Amino acid sequence: MPVAGIMALALIGGIVLGQIPLETGLIYAAMGGVAFVLYGMDKNFAEQNQWRISEVTLLGVDLCFGIIGGLAGQAVYRHKTRKSSYVATTVLLAGVHLLWLAGMATGFIEPSDLASLVGL
C-alpha cells in the first residue's frame, strides 16, 4: 500500500498547490471507494465459493481512477496478490497513474492533456 499512499500524497499535494482540479480528486476518491468495496466483495465471494467479480472489471475500475482504492483493497483484504500476471498489470496501472498525478502536481502535465490524449 505504500504506492497508494504516494499517489494519494501527489493527488492531495497537487490539489493544494492548485495544479490538479478538485474535481479530479473527487473522481479519484469516488472511484477509489468503488474499487475498495469491489475488492472486499470479491474476497468475500472467493471465501464462500460464490460467483466472483471478474478481473477485467476490477482492473477496469482501477484504470478508471480507482487505482488508489484498488491498491488499498488488495493490501487490506490480501486479495489478488499471488497471481503474478494480475500483480504485474496492477503495477503497470499504478505506474501510469503515479506518473500522471506527479506530472500534474508538478505542472509538467496539464489536466486537459488527458482529454486530448483520449480524443475528447
Side-chain angles (χ1 to χ4, degrees):
M1 192 155 76
V3 175
I6 293 169
M7 290 187 342
L9 285 175
L11 179 62
I12 293 166
I15 291 169
V16 169
L17 294 173
Q19 298 289 342
I20 298 177
L22 179 61
E23 294 83 4
T24 301
L26 295 174
I27 291 169
Y28 268 99
M31 291 303 294
V34 169
F36 187 83
V37 168
L38 287 176
Y39 277 91
M41 289 172 59
D42 192 49
K43 176 70 173 197
N44 187 41
F45 293 155
E47 290 173 344
Q48 296 180 8
N49 276 340
Q50 293 181 342
W51 171 86
R52 304 281 304 279
I53 298 170
S54 74
E55 290 182 355
V56 171
T57 298
L58 293 172
L59 291 170
V61 172
D62 287 351
L63 175 65
C64 296
F65 304 97
I67 189 68
I68 295 172
L71 290 170
Q74 286 181 15
V76 168
Y77 300 115
R78 295 183 182 167
H79 190 51
K80 296 290 186 188
T81 57
R82 292 186 183 173
K83 188 174 182 182
S84 59
S85 62
Y86 192 89
V87 171
T89 304
T90 302
V91 167
L92 177 66
L93 290 176
V96 168
H97 278 276
L98 183 57
L99 289 173
W100 170 253
L101 289 171
M104 283 197 306
T106 59
F108 184 72
I109 298 173
E110 294 294 321
S112 61
D113 290 341
L114 179 61
S116 63
L117 182 67
V118 296
L120 297 178

